[in-house]
Amino acid sequence: MRARLERERETRRESIIEATEQLLNEKTFESITMDDIAMRSDFAKASIYQYFKNKEELLIKVFSRILEIKCRLIKEKCLSQADPVQAIRNYIRLEFEFIRRYPWGPRVAATFPFIDYQEVNYLFALYEQKKKLIAAIIQRGQTGGIFVKADLDVFTNMIISAGVGFVNYFSTHMSSDLQSPEIEMFISTIIKGITKGEQ
Amino acid sequence: MRARLERERETRRESIIEATEQLLNEKTFESITMDDIAMRSDFAKASIYQYFKNKEELLIKVFSRILEIKCRLIKEKCLSQADPVQAIRNYIRLEFEFIRRYPWGPRVAATFPFIDYQEVNYLFALYEQKKKLIAAIIQRGQTGGIFVKADLDVFTNMIISAGVGFVNYFSTHMSSDLQSPEIEMFISTIIKGITKGEQ
Amino acid sequence: MRARLERERETRRESIIEATEQLLNEKTFESITMDDIAMRSDFAKASIYQYFKNKEELLIKVFSRILEIKCRLIKEKCLSQADPVQAIRNYIRLEFEFIRRYPWGPRVAATFPFIDYQEVNYLFALYEQKKKLIAAIIQRGQTGGIFVKADLDVFTNMIISAGVGFVNYFSTHMSSDLQSPEIEMFISTIIKGITKGEQ
Amino acid sequence: MRARLERERETRRESIIEATEQLLNEKTFESITMDDIAMRSDFAKASIYQYFKNKEELLIKVFSRILEIKCRLIKEKCLSQADPVQAIRNYIRLEFEFIRRYPWGPRVAATFPFIDYQEVNYLFALYEQKKKLIAAIIQRGQTGGIFVKADLDVFTNMIISAGVGFVNYFSTHMSSDLQSPEIEMFISTIIKGITKGEQ
DNA sequence: CATGAATGAGGATTCATTCAT
DNA sequence: TATGAATGAATCCTCATTCAT
């Protein structure tokens, strides 16, 4: 029965996180008030403090949750792909799909207060995990003689920065339509750029 | 003499803007208080309201100033380049240099409150201006048979999103060192991706 | 079996009171939270309300308990003394020992909220009881021709105020060391002051 | 003109302090809210923070002010007295008068939060100053062969603790009437206790 | 123009107490 | 009886903005 209570508690935590995510579509975390969150999650303001020590901890939880989902998706949809070119293509599309679901991601990441916090270490771990997944794809492509030679770490960093950067910028400043021709052009450009010989 | 007064007034406006820019290196615009700005700019808090209607107008001014500078730099350093490949290369490097000078740029852009405001139109005009500059470069490359064929608008959007996106992300999450090998690799990849045939 | 239940109930009440007393060594009653008390007494916060109507009642209980102990001690250690001088001497020392055990006594007494409350009457009764004990000692001294003549009530009030006052102040502001020479000097001074003729 | 502004500012600070003192007659500092103070001092709540960093600083200011007054009074009314017996008598009466004016003194002192604070050092200095004044009186009495022999420091501590202690306790628990016979009896007792030979 | 002062409208957080199980 | 959960009502403090001089 202790387990059931724990599970219920977790459910309520999630409601609050979800309410916060909804609000993040509408405004900055800083400008979201605990009243907003309370209203949206149908709790009394004071109740939220039973689930999160303070506003900052809530932000960190919201943020790490989205990273977790991202990692899971990458694992599911990219690593399974045998063809490295297709895997990279999928990865970039996936970043795009992801941003459609959580458009506030870049905004929150941009203003994330990197104060010392035990939880922050967990966030870094998640970042690293994601990086390793991409590196695995690239290495496969290099071993297979498909991708250009380059230091694996540099290559990975470049791909992630280019991919996430493009997606963030494009969806924020131009369009978040998955069908936009710019996306396909970007992917082709990158693929052509990193594959050996002619495509 | 009216002119001198006007000039002095402008100087003081700039002091305030500069103080705000300094503070933006340290924290979010939302979390910067008018007291902070007053302190840093050596004005009394109330005096700031003689130069800017309110905090929001100040933000817009800060933001449009940085766009103006960006446009000027692009004109100076890229359009002059006859070789389109070199021009694109320069453009991306320039975005990078730019972000070194104004690291808060992406953060501010990400959280910019796009409320209706007369001034905001001016911002859009600046964006458009920048886009036209890049388009001009690309068109030259296409006409010269160097760049791949593609809708000019799409091509331009893609280049800007890829360039600014990469630079924003890489400098925020990885390193803001101009010598990082990732940067050169990114530029080569993009160039290879958009040029016809072999390099 | 009803009796056993009642006894258990009383035991639990005492645990809570003891937890509160511990906390009073660390901070003001006002700044002690029900959460603090719950934590310290190993009860759930809500459970405390099964034993005390509210925080105020708890304070009164804590406070009257300490007065009860005080009265008992005076009876045991002073009234037994045949020699009135020695009895007074003992009384003052006893107040001192008492404050070593409950250093928060004066602080709590000073901020005691004298709101109308049935229980408060009981407190007054205890005060009166203590006063009578001291009066008895003094009267014995006067009857025996040892103490100076003076209205018994005035005499008693004076002795209590001087004794408790000195002890409170000295232990709070100077030292709570039972061996401090000031204590002996105070006692001698008072004794000399209230006894007839030479000492 | 800078001076006038400064003076006005000081006046407003004093208003706030006075409002707080009034309220201290009615309840604990902890239970006084900034709203109370604002109401009583006819300022907006936010304005108070222009004069005091926070509630705690305000308390310290209130508290040090009363100590200052006390020191000044002792200087004026006791040191002038040539006769040491009369000086001590005056001193105790003065403590009593003082408590009539600031009955909340003991209560506030009892619950004073002795957290590290620059200002707290100042408080200690004031305490020391007061102690020196009393020591001077006693020394005069000892030199003149009127008071009993005893270590000056111990003697002083004892007198202060007895005096302030009695006054605090008596006025809080019994009566704050300056004419109460207990007061005269206490003073006589102490005087008799500390003077040599017969009185 | 410049600025010291004043403040209304919040905002995060706390806490005694109640309720449902 | 015991307690996890919920919450209304504060409470301290902040801040953009206005006003009077």
Side-chain angles (χ1 to χ4, degrees):
Chain A
M1 61 193 76
R2 190 138 284 274
R4 206 209 52 224
L5 284 182
E6 195 51 50
R7 227 175 316 120
E8 279 176 11
R9 198 178 155 77
E10 192 51 39
T11 310
R12 283 183 232 116
R13 278 176 75 93
E14 301 242 325
S15 318
I16 295 169
I17 290 182
E18 247 148 57
T20 310
E21 289 181 349
Q22 273 179 39
L23 286 161
L24 277 169
N25 285 317
E26 298 159 28
K27 36 184 173 166
T28 315
F29 185 75
E30 272 179 302
S31 71
I32 294 173
T33 72
M34 292 306 264
D35 265 305
D36 290 336
I37 297 172
M39 207 93 77
R40 193 65 69 99
S41 63
D42 260 325
F43 278 94
K45 191 169 29 164
S47 304
I48 296 173
Y49 287 87
Q50 297 222 326
Y51 298 94
F52 299 95
K53 209 170 84 236
N54 53 33
K55 213 185 155 191
E56 200 174 20
E57 200 201 71
L58 174 53
L59 173 60
I60 292 183
K61 281 293 163 19
V62 166
F63 199 68
S64 57
R65 206 175 84 121
I66 162 173
L67 261 192
E68 276 169 7
I69 297 177
K70 205 183 217 173
C71 280
R72 184 157 42 72
L73 281 179
I74 295 179
K75 260 186 252 178
E76 281 171 22
K77 302 212 178 169
C78 302
L79 276 189
S80 52
Q81 258 297 338
D83 177 10
V85 168
Q86 199 57 39
I88 289 290
R89 185 177 290 275
N90 283 0
Y91 165 64
I92 295 172
R93 286 218 157 265
L94 188 137
E95 288 280 5
F96 218 87
E97 276 173 47
F98 199 79
I99 223 167
R100 299 263 330 270
R101 226 186 290 174
Y102 303 101
W104 41 267
R107 187 157 31 90
V108 174
T111 59
F112 198 84
F114 276 107
I115 302 167
D116 280 322
Y117 233 88
Q118 315 137 297
E119 302 280 342
V120 167
N121 292 326
Y122 177 56
L123 277 187
F124 281 124
L126 285 174
Y127 269 118
E128 281 308 308
Q129 195 184 334
K130 177 186 159 186
K131 207 168 140 179
K132 279 200 192 110
L133 292 172
I134 305 299
I137 296 174
I138 292 174
Q139 194 160 35
R140 214 186 294 160
Q142 289 185 314
T143 315
I146 302 174
F147 289 164
V148 295
K149 291 254 172 289
D151 178 79
L152 182 60
D153 205 50
V154 169
F155 202 148
T156 310
N157 284 339
M158 190 276 281
I159 285 294
I160 290 177
S161 299
V164 182
F166 172 80
V167 163
N168 284 359
Y169 189 89
F170 187 72
S171 64
T172 310
H173 291 75
M174 304 198 167
S175 153
S176 55
D177 182 2
L178 262 169
Q179 304 309 324
S180 302
E182 281 89 350
I183 299 173
E184 189 48 44
M185 185 177 187
F186 172 74
I187 293 177
S188 311
T189 303
I190 290 291
I191 299 280
K192 183 177 170 201
I194 63 173
T195 46
K196 271 183 170 168
E198 63 285 66
Q199 220 55 35
Chain B
M1 63 192 78
R2 192 139 280 280
R4 207 211 51 227
L5 285 182
E6 194 49 49
R7 228 178 312 121
E8 278 177 13
R9 194 177 158 75
E10 192 52 37
T11 311
R12 287 190 223 114
R13 278 174 73 91
E14 300 246 324
S15 317
I16 295 168
I17 289 182
E18 244 149 59
T20 310
E21 288 182 348
Q22 272 179 40
L23 286 162
L24 277 170
N25 284 317
E26 298 159 27
K27 37 184 173 165
T28 317
F29 185 73
E30 271 178 302
S31 72
I32 294 172
T33 71
M34 293 304 264
D35 268 304
D36 290 335
I37 298 172
M39 204 94 76
R40 194 66 70 98
S41 64
D42 263 324
F43 278 92
K45 188 167 36 161
S47 304
I48 295 174
Y49 287 84
Q50 307 232 303
Y51 297 96
F52 300 93
K53 207 168 84 231
N54 53 32
K55 210 187 158 191
E56 200 172 23
E57 200 202 69
L58 174 54
L59 173 60
I60 292 183
K61 281 294 169 7
V62 165
F63 200 68
S64 56
R65 204 176 87 122
I66 164 174
L67 260 192
E68 278 168 6
I69 297 177
K70 206 182 216 173
C71 282
R72 184 158 42 71
L73 279 179
I74 295 180
K75 259 185 253 178
E76 282 171 23
K77 301 212 179 170
C78 301
L79 276 189
S80 52
Q81 257 297 339
D83 177 11
V85 168
Q86 199 58 38
I88 290 290
R89 183 177 291 275
N90 283 0
Y91 164 65
I92 294 172
R93 286 219 157 265
L94 188 137
E95 288 279 5
F96 218 89
E97 276 173 46
F98 199 79
I99 221 167
R100 301 263 332 267
R101 226 185 290 173
Y102 303 100
W104 40 267
R107 189 160 27 94
V108 174
T111 61
F112 198 83
F114 278 107
I115 302 166
D116 282 321
Y117 234 88
Q118 315 137 299
E119 302 280 343
V120 168
N121 291 328
Y122 176 56
L123 275 188
F124 281 124
L126 284 174
Y127 269 116
E128 280 308 308
Q129 193 184 334
K130 176 185 159 187
K131 207 167 141 180
K132 277 200 193 111
L133 291 171
I134 305 299
I137 295 173
I138 292 173
Q139 194 160 34
R140 212 187 294 161
Q142 289 184 314
T143 315
I146 301 173
F147 289 164
V148 296
K149 290 257 174 285
D151 177 79
L152 182 59
D153 204 48
V154 169
F155 202 148
T156 310
N157 283 340
M158 191 277 281
I159 286 295
I160 289 177
S161 299
V164 183
F166 172 82
V167 162
N168 283 359
Y169 189 89
F170 187 74
S171 63
T172 310
H173 291 75
M174 303 199 167
S175 155
S176 55
D177 181 1
L178 262 169
Q179 303 310 324
S180 302
E182 283 88 350
I183 299 173
E184 187 49 45
M185 185 177 186
F186 172 73
I187 293 177
S188 313
T189 304
I190 290 291
I191 299 279
K192 183 175 171 204
I194 63 173
T195 46
K196 273 183 168 168
E198 64 285 64
Q199 222 56 35
Chain C
M1 61 192 76
R2 193 138 280 280
R4 207 211 51 224
L5 286 182
E6 193 50 49
R7 228 178 313 120
E8 277 177 14
R9 193 177 158 78
E10 192 51 38
T11 311
R12 287 191 223 112
R13 279 175 73 93
E14 299 246 325
S15 317
I16 295 169
I17 289 182
E18 244 148 60
T20 310
E21 289 181 349
Q22 272 179 39
L23 287 163
L24 277 169
N25 284 317
E26 297 159 27
K27 37 185 173 166
T28 316
F29 185 74
E30 270 178 303
S31 72
I32 294 173
T33 71
M34 292 305 263
D35 268 304
D36 291 336
I37 297 171
M39 205 95 75
R40 195 65 70 99
S41 64
D42 262 324
F43 278 92
K45 188 165 40 162
S47 305
I48 296 174
Y49 286 85
Q50 307 233 302
Y51 298 96
F52 300 94
K53 207 168 83 228
N54 53 32
K55 209 185 158 192
E56 199 173 23
E57 199 203 69
L58 173 54
L59 173 60
I60 293 182
K61 280 296 168 7
V62 166
F63 200 68
S64 57
R65 204 176 86 121
I66 166 174
L67 260 192
E68 277 168 7
I69 297 176
K70 205 182 217 174
C71 280
R72 183 158 44 71
L73 280 179
I74 294 179
K75 260 185 251 176
E76 282 172 23
K77 302 212 178 170
C78 303
L79 276 188
S80 53
Q81 258 298 338
D83 178 11
V85 167
Q86 200 56 38
I88 289 291
R89 183 177 291 274
N90 283 0
Y91 164 64
I92 294 173
R93 286 219 155 264
L94 187 137
E95 288 279 5
F96 218 88
E97 276 173 47
F98 199 79
I99 222 167
R100 299 263 332 267
R101 226 185 292 174
Y102 304 98
W104 40 267
R107 189 161 26 94
V108 174
T111 60
F112 198 83
F114 277 107
I115 303 167
D116 281 322
Y117 234 86
Q118 316 135 298
E119 303 280 343
V120 168
N121 292 327
Y122 176 57
L123 275 188
F124 281 124
L126 284 174
Y127 270 117
E128 280 308 308
Q129 193 184 336
K130 176 185 160 187
K131 205 166 141 180
K132 278 200 192 109
L133 291 172
I134 306 299
I137 295 173
I138 292 174
Q139 193 159 34
R140 215 186 292 161
Q142 288 185 315
T143 316
I146 302 174
F147 289 164
V148 296
K149 291 256 173 289
D151 177 78
L152 182 59
D153 203 50
V154 169
F155 202 148
T156 310
N157 284 339
M158 190 278 280
I159 285 294
I160 290 177
S161 299
V164 183
F166 171 81
V167 163
N168 283 359
Y169 189 89
F170 187 72
S171 64
T172 308
H173 291 75
M174 304 198 167
S175 153
S176 56
D177 182 1
L178 262 168
Q179 304 309 325
S180 303
E182 281 88 351
I183 299 174
E184 188 49 45
M185 186 177 185
F186 173 73
I187 294 177
S188 312
T189 303
I190 290 292
I191 300 279
K192 184 176 169 201
I194 62 174
T195 46
K196 271 182 168 169
E198 63 286 66
Q199 221 54 34
Chain D
M1 60 193 77
R2 190 137 282 274
R4 206 208 54 224
L5 284 182
E6 195 50 51
R7 226 176 314 121
E8 279 175 10
R9 199 178 156 75
E10 191 51 39
T11 310
R12 283 183 233 116
R13 278 177 75 92
E14 301 243 323
S15 316
I16 295 168
I17 289 182
E18 245 148 59
T20 311
E21 289 182 348
Q22 273 179 39
L23 287 162
L24 277 169
N25 284 319
E26 298 160 27
K27 37 184 173 164
T28 316
F29 186 74
E30 271 179 303
S31 71
I32 294 173
T33 73
M34 293 306 263
D35 265 306
D36 291 336
I37 298 172
M39 207 92 77
R40 194 65 69 98
S41 64
D42 260 324
F43 278 93
K45 191 171 27 167
S47 303
I48 295 174
Y49 288 87
Q50 298 223 325
Y51 298 95
F52 299 94
K53 207 169 86 237
N54 52 34
K55 212 184 156 192
E56 199 174 21
E57 200 202 72
L58 174 54
L59 172 60
I60 291 184
K61 281 293 162 21
V62 166
F63 199 68
S64 56
R65 205 175 86 122
I66 161 173
L67 261 192
E68 277 168 8
I69 297 177
K70 204 183 217 173
C71 279
R72 183 157 43 71
L73 279 179
I74 294 179
K75 261 185 249 178
E76 281 172 22
K77 301 211 178 169
C78 301
L79 276 188
S80 52
Q81 258 298 337
D83 178 11
V85 168
Q86 199 57 38
I88 289 291
R89 184 176 290 274
N90 283 359
Y91 164 64
I92 296 172
R93 286 218 156 266
L94 187 137
E95 289 278 7
F96 218 89
E97 276 173 47
F98 198 78
I99 222 165
R100 300 264 330 269
R101 229 187 287 175
Y102 303 100
W104 40 268
R107 190 159 27 92
V108 174
T111 60
F112 198 83
F114 276 108
I115 303 167
D116 281 321
Y117 233 87
Q118 314 138 296
E119 302 279 342
V120 168
N121 292 327
Y122 177 56
L123 277 187
F124 280 123
L126 284 175
Y127 269 117
E128 281 308 307
Q129 194 184 337
K130 176 184 160 187
K131 205 167 143 181
K132 279 200 191 109
L133 291 172
I134 305 299
I137 295 174
I138 292 173
Q139 193 160 35
R140 213 186 293 162
Q142 289 185 315
T143 316
I146 301 174
F147 289 163
V148 296
K149 289 257 171 288
D151 177 78
L152 182 60
D153 204 50
V154 170
F155 202 147
T156 310
N157 284 339
M158 190 278 280
I159 285 294
I160 289 178
S161 299
V164 182
F166 172 80
V167 162
N168 283 358
Y169 189 88
F170 187 72
S171 63
T172 309
H173 291 75
M174 304 200 167
S175 152
S176 55
D177 182 1
L178 261 169
Q179 304 310 322
S180 302
E182 282 88 351
I183 300 174
E184 188 48 45
M185 185 175 186
F186 172 74
I187 293 177
S188 312
T189 303
I190 290 292
I191 299 279
K192 184 175 168 202
I194 62 173
T195 46
K196 273 182 169 168
E198 64 286 64
Q199 220 56 34

